Amino acid sequence: MIEKVHEVNDAASNMAAITEEQSASAEKIEATAVSIQKLAEIVSENSADVQKDSKEMENTAETLKEHISRFTI
């Protein structure tokens, strides 16, 4: 009987250790998800900046074409 009690205690200890590991893993996963979300926001902002810069470059190129056309014979 004492042997069974020890087995149950061991099983309970193992389950508690597994639960702690799962909890720690869940916290790591949550932290990773938050980091990924922040990086996604940065990428989105950078993408908007690149799109804006691209439009400005297009406008500059068009202006240059207009100026160059004045000098062509």
Side-chain angles (χ1 to χ4, degrees), residues 1 3 5 11 13 17 26 36-37 42 46 51-52 55 63 72:
M1 179 70 168
E3 234 178 84
V5 170
S13 293
I36 290 171
Q37 184 176 7
I42 290 169
N46 288 344
Q51 189 174 11
K52 178 183 167 198
K55 187 64 178 169
T63 302
T72 54

Side-chain angles (χ1 to χ4, degrees), residues 2 4 8-9 13 15 20 23-24 27 31-32 34 37 42 48 50 53 66:
I2 292 175
K4 289 294 179 186
V8 169
N9 284 341
S13 293
M15 290 300 294
E20 286 181 31
S23 178
E27 289 175 8
T32 301
V34 169
Q37 184 176 7
I42 290 169
V50 167
D53 290 347
E66 290 172 10

Side-chain angles (χ1 to χ4, degrees), residues 28-58:
K28 288 179 184 176
I29 290 169
E30 184 178 1
T32 301
V34 169
S35 294
I36 290 171
Q37 184 176 7
K38 288 178 182 176
L39 290 173
E41 290 170 2
I42 290 169
V43 167
S44 180
E45 290 171 9
N46 288 344
S47 178
D49 289 344
V50 167
Q51 189 174 11
K52 178 183 167 198
D53 290 347
S54 175
K55 187 64 178 169
E56 288 177 11
M57 288 174 67
E58 286 178 23

